[in-house]
Amino acid sequence: MFDKLIEFDINPVIVFNEKGEIIYCNQEAEVFLSSQNVKTIFNFALNNAPKKGIKTKFEKVKFNKIEFNGYSIFVDENLSIRFFIDTTPVDYSLINLEKIDISMLIDFVCDIFSLKKDFNIKKLFDPTIPEFYGDKNEIIRLLKNYISKDSIISTKIVIGESIIINNKKHPLIEVKIENPNKKDIKSSTYEIKKGENFISIRIPLIQGIK
């Protein structure tokens, strides 16, 4: 159970041996390391490590364009580091929303990519998702940045989860993109989750606004 908690932690966890070789990293760290120089991360951990035991520090640290709120470094026979991502809650707003058919919106973005002959995008839509109100421009921006030539895009209603906005409960839908572009795209509007070979965008299913 403990191993699974580490593996699926939303914070990157990396373990180096004394030579600076990676002997373990969790799923989030794999995504992070795909855009980094491993030696740079090892040197950072080495230069900030305690003589023994564990050291935790909350300060902004940045590697290329990826920023963290702090880190913990543990020293035993190996050198381990865990970076803390920014967990500031997404600020959902009900202002300037447009009615969206998510399947049609994804088709619209995919049509842009279809002009390139080497793109082979597959789509698996949940037909039960109704129209809803959302930030259309932000969804388009995220899709255009994450979709790659071999992406598989699927949609579904997230079972058992909801979000409260202005004291009203809303279901969530998920747009999942497998084989995405490995870009560090952030959104102040929608929650983005990353896996080993996918990203998902979670969107409140808002069906009525005043």
Side-chain angles (χ1 to χ4, degrees):
M1 180 179 177
F2 178 77
D3 291 343
K4 288 185 178 180
L5 286 173
I6 296 297
E7 181 63 20
F8 296 105
D9 192 342
I10 62 173
N11 299 292
V13 177
I14 309 165
V15 182
F16 296 98
N17 63 18
E18 60 182 10
K19 297 179 181 179
E21 299 167 335
I22 295 174
I23 58 175
Y24 172 78
C25 65
N26 66 357
Q27 291 187 8
E28 196 66 28
E30 287 182 9
V31 176
F32 167 56
L33 291 169
S34 67
S35 62
Q36 304 298 320
N37 182 306
V38 173
K39 186 177 180 180
T40 299
I41 308 302
F42 174 71
N43 286 339
F44 175 86
L46 190 64
N47 293 335
N48 290 278
K51 292 183 179 179
K52 62 178 180 178
I54 190 168
K55 171 186 175 181
T56 298
K57 192 168 185 178
F58 291 98
E59 65 176 9
K60 295 287 186 181
V61 292
K62 191 171 184 179
F63 301 91
N64 293 336
K65 296 182 179 180
I66 300 179
E67 187 174 79
F68 299 105
N69 281 349
Y71 55 87
S72 281
I73 302 174
F74 178 66
V75 177
D76 53 7
E77 65 270 19
N78 298 309
L79 178 64
S80 306
I81 186 165
R82 179 177 185 245
F83 291 103
F84 302 123
I85 66 169
D86 185 357
T87 55
T88 303
V90 175
D91 183 20
Y92 289 108
S93 173
L94 299 181
I95 301 173
N96 298 325
L97 301 184
E98 300 177 67
K99 185 171 278 191
I100 295 171
D101 181 317
I102 192 63
S103 299
M104 291 182 63
L105 190 63
I106 293 172
D107 279 337
F108 168 76
V109 176
C110 289
D111 284 345
I112 298 173
F113 288 105
S114 67
L115 299 175
K116 301 179 180 181
K117 294 181 180 180
D118 59 339
F119 271 70
N120 183 30
I121 302 169
K122 297 180 181 179
K123 296 170 286 186
L124 302 169
F125 296 144
D126 180 347
T128 67
I129 297 176
E131 290 186 336
F132 61 91
Y133 288 91
D135 188 334
K136 183 181 292 185
N137 289 333
E138 177 66 0
I139 296 173
I140 290 173
R141 182 184 76 89
L142 293 172
L143 291 173
K144 287 175 70 175
N145 277 284
Y146 277 125
I147 291 175
S148 72
K149 65 179 183 179
D150 298 312
S151 286
I152 302 172
I153 309 168
S154 60
T155 61
K156 70 174 183 179
I157 295 176
V158 181
I159 304 299
E161 293 187 44
S162 60
I163 187 169
I164 296 176
I165 306 173
N166 292 353
N167 298 316
K168 186 175 180 180
K169 185 183 289 187
H170 299 277
L172 290 169
I173 68 168
E174 179 182 81
V175 178
K176 183 177 181 181
I177 303 173
E178 298 176 69
N179 305 323
N181 279 322
K182 301 292 186 179
K183 292 185 177 181
D184 179 40
I185 306 300
K186 295 183 179 180
S187 175
S188 61
T189 307
Y190 297 119
E191 179 187 6
I192 298 174
K193 291 194 171 185
K194 297 179 180 179
E196 183 176 355
N197 196 35
F198 74 89
I199 67 97
S200 66
I201 306 165
R202 292 196 162 198
I203 304 169
L205 189 59
I206 301 170
Q207 292 188 267
I209 56 176
K210 295 182 180 180

